[in-house]
Amino acid sequence: MDVISDQNWLLSLGTFLPLAGVLVMLLIPKREELLHKQVALATALGTLGVGIYTLIQFDYDKAEQLQFYANTEWISVIKSGYTIGLDGISLPLYFLSMVITVLVMIYSWDHIPSPGNPKAFLILMLVLQTGMAGTFIAQDLILFFVFFEVVLLPMYFMIGVWGGEQRQYASLKFFLYTMFGSALMLVAFLALFYQTDSVSFSIPYLVEQGINIDQDVAIWIFGGMFIGFAVKVPMFPFHTWLPDAHTQAPTQGSVILAAILLKLGTYGFVRIAIPILPQAAVKWAPVIGVLAVIGIIYGALGCLAQKDMKRLIAFSSVAHMGFVMLGISTLTATGINAALFGMVAHGLITGMLFFCAGSIKERYHTLEISRLSGLLIQMPKLGWILGFCAMASLGLPGLAGFWGEFPAILSAYNPAPALNEPLFRVLMVIAALGTVLAAAYLLWLYQRTAFGEPNPEFTGHGHAHAVGAAGNDEHHDDIHDVNVFEWIAWTPLLIAIVVLGVYPQLMFKVMDPAVTQLVEVFNP
Amino acid sequence: MIASLLAAAGDFTPPVADYHALAPEIVLAVGICLVLLVDLFVEERQRWITSTLAGFVLLGAFIPVVTLAVIGGDVRYGLGGDVLDGRYVIDEYALILKALFLIAGYVVVLMSSDEIESGRYHQGEYYVLLLTSVLGMVMMASSRDLISIFVALEFLSIPAYMLAAWNKRNSKGNEAGMKYYLLGVFASAIMLYGMSLLYGVTGTTLLSEIGPAITANGQFSGIEALAVVFIVVGFAFKVSAVPFHQWAPDVYEGAPTPVTAFLSVASKAAGFVALTTLVFLAFPLASDVYQPFIWVLSAASMTVGNLLALRQTNIVRMLAYSSISQGGFILMPLTVAGEAGVGESALKAVVVYLVVYAATNLGAFAVVIAVSKKTRSGEISSFGGLFSYAPALGVLMTVFLASLAGIPPLGGWFAKFGAFKAVLDAGTNWGYSIAIIAAINTVIAAAYYITVMREIWMKPVPDGDVTPIRTPSSIQAALVITCGATIVLGVLPDLVGRFGDLSDLTGALGG
């Protein structure tokens, strides 16, 4: 495989820069809260700067090649190298992780969740950033595994310490599910290593060799990776950790979880499982497709049944990731392009929805849908933003969500030649019905929370006492519209949703060469 | 009689000592005398000097280890001459382990100084015993002969028996010392019996000669099998492998915590080193005997150790059972050591695991010492809310526990990975079955490590006392060393991975 090794220090810099910030923050005493926020934000901005520079230096005419490629010896005992590189598939996600971290840092400026301690909170976030960016640049299975796992503990603590009432249960569930998945994934990686003459863990090398693995063995290996990645995505039936984790996580945790962490799983399929073991991917594709569609319908029905806004958004993630996985399972350029676009779009939109939910929770101290109403009257700006995001999330053409869902459904009409066409067409129809359900639950959510008169218990002292909602009256002063930090944190996301919706080519043209190369093997 | 001695003396050629190669042992031996003398001549309230001195002795002994490693080159014989050749060897395998023992000893000194000083008695003797035990370990790393192995083993064990009973005014302390002593000598006796059988059958004590001689007459004899089993059982006691582990939790709980750290790390590692040397040099043809036997020890240690650790409420006892379980992981690669082509990765896996485990476990004990200074309790629940009032200790303990659980990028993950890889390399049913058992155990182990993490991060402070913990500077130093090693070894495992080449170990002896 051709690689471009110019500026091969760039990705390492972008990935490990946050750790430099962590070191600085470790030396600053805990009580200097403002300083911590400044250092953390500066670090995140610096990292984003490196990301922007990467974006500029990336050679878009050769997007199918690994660029900024570096390969040095790392653990020679097990023949694993420090192999990193970036192509059109990973570039958008790598950059997205940096953007989201910055925005979350800005949002954290005046939204440090209870029990406080910005030092620890922000340090964990920077460590998370390193893990996420590292996963997207790793071109060696062991390196990938290490970065994939680096994410685990910070998120565990973020949910477990700064989360809601059932944080301990939720964090433990998150931890055990992921641990279980990665154990199987690691076994699969090792099996892959032995099946290819124990020469190297390098992904480009394995992509060349993996095709020679006996199909029966390959199916088993793919199965191990499938569970590892499917837990992270999460796909039905491995999704049960997600609603708990999302609901209990602090807003920042939910945003990062939705925007980046879930993508580590889908990215694993596109980067590792499918290119290395195409012969097994063909066999697994129907399974993935069916589970994806079950996820779409199940997630949508789950949404309709939720009483808690954050839990509803979490279930909608299950449905959206179903579309992504459906696109991947078609093994076509259209489908995988759509999936990659869907990942980024879902990151932006659901991230934004979680921001909204967090801000509503902060003002009303509840996310119970039946208690919220009249957002448009009480907080018109926030209400409109929520409406915008709901529209984007249900896949309204002209906004980013559309370009993830529509082509994914379309691609199922014409799956890769080796796949069962009637099956995928049936899946296509069911998935299309899923979009209707998506419209239903999102519009219903919006109608219940934003329309109507504000709930009297939140409108003022007199009313509150009148309806006897004592215990909430001390919070009335909190209800104010979008504040300046929220504006700064949200505007880039809102703009991106529009820009990518109006001009999706911006991303498709980056990803397409790499994706086309990836699916070549399926088009004999 | 004198005449016959004189006659014999005529052929006697004095051994050739390689003083550079022997320098670590010499420095330690001189240091031990020095500490003893200083202790005699300083006043009671200045006895802390002995602690500092002991630290310098260990660091001093570390210098020649570094220079030997830097010079590299040929394998050296500490004592040469026709008969002595190959019985006391300094190669890379020996050097990395000597370094391990010396640094572990140094960290234990750092952890001890505050605790032993506050006990107000026998400081000098404590450090003398500690250094003597370390000397025994350093010798063990080089021993390639049944006699030197046994001498080294006693050298390191006997001071450890006394150290275990250091809390002599406390019934648990007495129990610890007594139990450790009785079971220790029992194990030595069994082992010595096995060694004598081995000598009787093969006619030599040199490991590299025992190796080929073991099946000299074409097949395995009953006595040979018995000898191998007895020797392995003896070491199984030393490394507290199930079912020879019963002494460990009681001893660990009764001994002063720094001593517990020392026993569970350095002393245990010395047992593994001897076992590894024996397996690779003396038993290469005996894998039919030791493979099933070590397989059972390994599987039982991880499983029983883990299941019992799950139920502990005392942190030291939990770490004791966790160390039994970790011992099972260290034994795991040895089960396949005899398979063709696997020796290399098995040996590396053991060496890497020992080094990583030492750093991590010592660190965990250092945190336990620091925290119990404030809470005066050994209960796991006393760690509640640690993160809120002592964030540094909370984070450090998290690092150590996560490393023990095998979560990347901390050292433990690579140690475990190496062990898994070694048994999968073998590609035999013995290898696959132990790998599955180990995989299940990895998940069980995560459960009890994470229990402690939850206490630290998410639970309220049990007594509401949130005064910050004043950590003595010596323990801070110990924490910096162990935490640094834990992280660095996880990120750059090649640092130790390059040591422990199999050709070094066996090639040196013409085997």
Side-chain angles (χ1 to χ4, degrees):
Chain A
M1 184 181 270
D2 290 335
V3 293
I4 301 172
S5 307
D6 294 344
Q7 308 193 53
N8 59 12
W9 45 268
L10 191 59
L11 297 179
S12 304
L13 177 68
T15 304
F16 294 110
L17 192 61
L19 293 186
V22 169
L23 285 181
V24 174
M25 288 170 73
L26 283 175
L27 300 175
I28 303 172
K30 187 171 146 188
R31 59 179 181 282
E32 306 273 353
E33 298 199 350
L34 184 65
L35 190 57
H36 278 296
K37 288 174 186 169
Q38 287 164 342
V39 174
L41 183 60
T43 313
L45 281 171
T47 313
L48 181 64
V50 177
I52 292 171
Y53 182 73
T54 313
L55 220 49
I56 296 169
Q57 292 294 311
F58 191 83
D59 185 345
Y60 294 93
D61 294 332
K62 293 176 183 164
E64 76 281 4
Q65 297 181 13
L66 290 174
Q67 308 194 11
F68 315 109
Y69 181 83
N71 182 12
T72 51
E73 209 169 72
W74 180 40
I75 317 178
S76 53
V77 197
I78 57 166
K79 302 186 176 104
S80 166
Y82 179 73
T83 314
I84 54 170
L86 203 65
D87 65 2
I89 294 177
S90 35
L91 179 71
L93 292 164
Y94 176 71
F95 186 67
L96 179 69
S97 73
M98 293 170 167
V99 174
I100 294 288
T101 303
V102 169
L103 302 182
V104 165
M105 290 278 179
I106 295 171
Y107 184 81
S108 302
W109 198 272
D110 67 344
H111 290 93
I112 294 288
S114 154
N117 197 348
K119 176 178 179 179
F121 190 71
L122 296 171
I123 284 180
L124 287 180
M125 218 179 280
L126 289 173
V127 175
L128 260 177
Q129 161 64 27
T130 293
M132 296 185 298
T135 313
F136 292 129
I137 61 164
Q139 297 294 336
D140 178 285
L141 291 185
I142 298 300
L143 192 64
F144 177 89
F145 173 77
V146 169
F147 279 124
F148 197 82
E149 292 291 287
V150 166
V151 171
L152 183 58
L153 275 186
M155 199 31 122
Y156 168 72
F157 289 124
M158 208 177 255
I159 300 173
V161 178
W162 287 273
E165 275 171 18
Q166 297 188 341
R167 55 183 183 272
Q168 294 198 17
Y169 169 75
S171 59
L172 192 63
K173 202 166 171 184
F174 165 77
F175 187 89
L176 290 181
Y177 263 81
T178 319
M179 186 94 181
F180 167 73
S182 26
L184 284 174
M185 186 173 85
L186 187 60
V187 172
F189 286 176
L190 271 174
L192 209 53
F193 177 68
Y194 288 117
Q195 289 292 326
T196 52
D197 303 328
S198 314
V199 176
S200 167
F201 279 105
S202 146
I203 294 176
Y205 170 81
L206 291 170
V207 169
E208 284 168 22
Q209 298 295 317
I211 191 85
N212 303 324
I213 297 175
D214 185 54
Q215 191 173 36
D216 293 338
V217 181
I219 287 175
W220 280 101
I221 299 177
F222 196 101
M225 291 196 252
F226 171 77
I227 294 181
F229 295 140
V231 165
K232 202 82 168 188
V233 169
M235 284 183 79
F236 179 88
F238 305 109
H239 65 281
T240 61
W241 63 269
L242 183 80
D244 290 310
H246 263 320
T247 316
Q248 299 304 324
T251 306
Q252 291 89 333
S254 294
V255 172
I256 294 180
L257 199 56
I260 312 292
L261 251 55
L262 305 188
K263 276 70 197 179
L264 300 183
T266 40
Y267 176 77
F269 277 105
V270 178
R271 166 68 62 204
I272 294 171
I274 291 176
I276 294 181
L277 296 171
Q279 73 276 42
V282 170
K283 294 288 166 196
W284 274 90
V287 179
I288 298 176
V290 169
L291 289 177
V293 170
I294 294 178
I296 294 174
I297 301 295
Y298 179 91
L301 293 177
C303 283
L304 288 170
Q306 295 313 312
K307 298 185 172 68
D308 182 286
M309 188 169 158
K310 223 173 164 188
R311 220 175 152 82
L312 188 150
I313 303 172
F315 268 99
S316 83
S317 274
V318 176
H320 281 119
M321 295 316 274
F323 283 107
V324 171
M325 288 313 298
L326 177 66
I328 291 176
S329 74
T330 63
L331 304 177
T332 57
T334 324
I336 294 179
N337 267 322
L340 291 169
F341 198 99
M343 289 186 213
V344 175
H346 173 262
L348 299 171
I349 298 167
T350 310
M352 210 34 242
L353 278 171
F354 276 119
F355 269 137
C356 291
S359 289
I360 292 173
K361 167 101 180 187
E362 189 204 25
R363 289 162 172 82
Y364 292 104
H365 300 273
T366 181
L367 279 170
E368 215 177 301
I369 299 171
S370 59
R371 283 175 68 193
L372 300 169
S373 70
L375 282 185
L376 280 172
I377 294 177
Q378 213 163 12
M379 296 185 291
K381 288 177 189 134
L382 185 60
W384 280 112
I385 292 174
L386 180 66
F388 175 83
C389 298
M391 293 302 152
S393 182
L394 64 82
L396 193 73
L399 298 177
F402 177 75
W403 297 108
E405 280 181 20
F406 176 67
I409 297 172
L410 203 63
S411 69
Y413 184 77
N414 246 340
L419 299 178
N420 181 347
E421 202 167 79
L423 172 70
F424 274 87
R425 290 195 178 163
V426 171
L427 294 180
M428 180 190 86
V429 174
I430 305 176
L433 287 177
T435 57
V436 179
L437 289 175
Y441 65 74
L442 283 162
L443 292 178
W444 193 33
L445 166 75
Y446 191 57
Q447 188 189 342
R448 283 180 291 174
T449 54
F451 294 169
E453 288 297 316
N455 187 339
E457 66 173 303
F458 299 118
T459 47
H461 289 263
H463 282 291
H465 290 297
V467 296
N472 285 309
D473 47 355
E474 70 270 29
H475 303 308
H476 296 149
D477 301 338
D478 294 353
I479 298 179
H480 52 85
D481 216 333
V482 184
N483 73 19
V484 62
F485 292 108
E486 288 165 339
W487 274 124
I488 301 175
W490 297 352
T491 313
L493 287 177
L494 297 172
I495 293 174
I497 291 171
V498 175
V499 169
L500 286 178
V502 175
Y503 189 58
Q505 192 60 13
L506 197 62
M507 250 178 72
F508 279 133
K509 77 169 181 217
V510 178
M511 306 179 305
D512 190 53
V515 172
T516 312
Q517 181 182 305
L518 191 152
V519 298
E520 254 169 31
V521 63
F522 300 109
N523 297 308
Chain B
M1 186 177 167
I2 293 173
S4 65
L5 271 180
L6 281 175
D11 318 328
F12 179 74
T13 43
V16 188
D18 180 341
Y19 287 107
H20 188 190
L22 285 177
E25 286 86 342
I26 295 171
V27 172
L28 274 175
V30 172
I32 291 167
C33 303
L34 210 61
V35 174
L36 197 58
L37 283 175
V38 167
D39 181 49
L40 285 177
F41 292 109
V42 297
E43 284 181 31
E44 185 66 48
R45 58 194 168 75
Q46 286 177 327
R47 287 277 159 81
W48 56 268
I49 289 176
T50 55
S51 158
T52 316
L53 192 59
F56 278 118
V57 168
L58 288 164
L59 290 181
F62 185 62
I63 295 172
V65 172
V66 174
T67 58
L68 283 165
V70 169
I71 293 169
D74 291 342
V75 170
R76 292 158 174 261
Y77 297 146
L79 285 173
D82 45 349
V83 197
L84 291 167
D85 265 357
R87 289 177 202 264
Y88 197 83
V89 175
I90 287 88
D91 52 12
E92 281 205 330
Y93 166 78
L95 285 176
I96 181 77
L97 292 166
K98 282 178 198 225
L100 165 67
F101 292 132
L102 291 168
I103 297 296
Y106 181 65
V107 171
V108 171
V109 168
L110 289 176
M111 283 156 64
S112 308
S113 56
D114 199 63
E115 178 119 343
I116 298 300
E117 197 183 342
S118 60
R120 291 248 158 254
Y121 58 89
H122 304 317
Q123 284 188 62
E125 288 83 343
Y126 177 89
Y127 293 108
V128 168
L129 289 173
L130 193 65
L131 289 178
T132 313
S133 191
V134 172
L135 175 56
M137 293 168 188
V138 168
M139 287 164 59
M140 182 66 93
S142 284
S143 299
R144 302 285 187 275
D145 180 284
L146 289 182
I147 296 173
S148 53
I149 285 185
F150 185 74
V151 169
L153 186 72
E154 293 305 295
F155 220 132
L156 74 90
S157 298
I158 293 172
Y161 301 145
M162 288 185 263
L163 288 173
W166 208 250
N167 287 338
K168 64 176 181 183
R169 302 193 210 294
N170 172 324
S171 66
K172 280 198 170 171
N174 281 304
E175 182 192 347
M178 203 60 177
K179 245 185 187 154
Y180 192 34
Y181 171 69
L182 286 177
L183 286 168
V185 291
F186 182 55
S188 295
I190 293 178
M191 188 189 311
L192 202 53
Y193 191 24
M195 285 178 171
S196 67
L197 287 177
L198 207 54
Y199 174 65
V201 177
T202 60
T204 175
T205 57
L206 186 61
L207 299 188
S208 59
E209 286 175 5
I210 292 176
I214 248 182
T215 45
N217 51 2
Q219 59 179 3
F220 231 78
S221 70
I223 292 192
E224 283 168 349
L226 203 61
V228 170
V229 168
F230 274 15
I231 291 177
V232 175
V233 167
F235 283 110
F237 267 108
K238 290 287 168 199
V239 302
S240 65
V242 175
F244 309 107
H245 67 287
Q246 275 93 351
W247 59 272
D250 295 333
V251 172
Y252 288 0
E253 194 184 1
T257 319
V259 174
T260 306
F262 184 67
L263 294 181
S264 78
V265 171
S267 162
K268 193 165 178 152
F272 277 115
V273 168
L275 194 56
T276 311
T277 316
L278 279 163
V279 160
F280 278 99
L281 291 180
F283 306 153
L285 301 172
S287 71
D288 287 345
V289 175
Y290 75 72
Q291 187 175 42
F293 195 57
I294 295 186
W295 190 98
V296 171
L297 290 177
S298 166
S301 299
M302 334 181 181
T303 314
V304 175
N306 268 341
L307 293 180
L308 292 173
L310 275 176
R311 301 178 46 197
Q312 301 306 315
T313 56
N314 181 297
I315 185 89
V316 175
R317 284 187 83 89
M318 190 212 86
L319 286 173
Y321 282 111
S322 119
S323 86
I324 290 172
S325 155
Q326 301 275 349
F329 279 94
I330 307 177
L331 282 172
M332 181 161 91
L334 291 180
T335 58
V336 295
E339 308 279 352
V342 186
E344 177 86 27
S345 57
L347 181 62
K348 276 186 196 266
V350 172
V351 171
V352 170
Y353 210 117
L354 286 174
V355 175
V356 169
Y357 167 75
T360 308
N361 225 35
L362 283 174
F365 275 111
V367 176
V368 171
I369 292 172
V371 172
S372 64
K373 270 176 73 70
K374 168 177 180 278
T375 60
R376 303 264 152 230
S377 156
E379 293 303 299
I380 292 176
S381 59
S382 71
F383 278 74
L386 182 69
F387 178 69
S388 63
Y389 63 92
L393 286 176
V395 169
L396 286 166
M397 192 64 173
T398 308
V399 167
F400 297 129
L401 291 170
S403 173
L404 285 172
I407 297 173
L410 304 164
W413 86 270
F414 184 72
K416 283 212 165 71
F417 184 85
F420 274 109
K421 187 171 169 290
V423 291
L424 292 177
D425 261 343
T428 58
N429 289 337
W430 291 110
Y432 288 136
S433 50
I434 195 81
I436 293 169
I437 296 174
I440 296 169
N441 274 298
T442 309
V443 179
I444 300 177
Y448 58 81
Y449 293 126
I450 211 152
T451 313
V452 183
M453 284 190 220
R454 280 170 73 184
E455 287 289 343
I456 294 173
W457 286 73
M458 300 169 201
K459 292 283 166 71
V461 185
D463 51 2
D465 177 9
V466 292
T467 46
I469 293 179
R470 195 195 59 83
T471 311
S473 55
S474 59
I475 292 189
Q476 281 176 10
L479 285 169
V480 167
I481 295 173
T482 51
C483 179
T486 303
I487 294 174
V488 169
L489 290 175
V491 178
L492 301 169
D494 253 10
L495 289 179
V496 284
R498 76 182 186 88
F499 292 98
D501 278 331
L502 186 62
S503 55
D504 249 30
L505 183 60
T506 50
L509 301 140

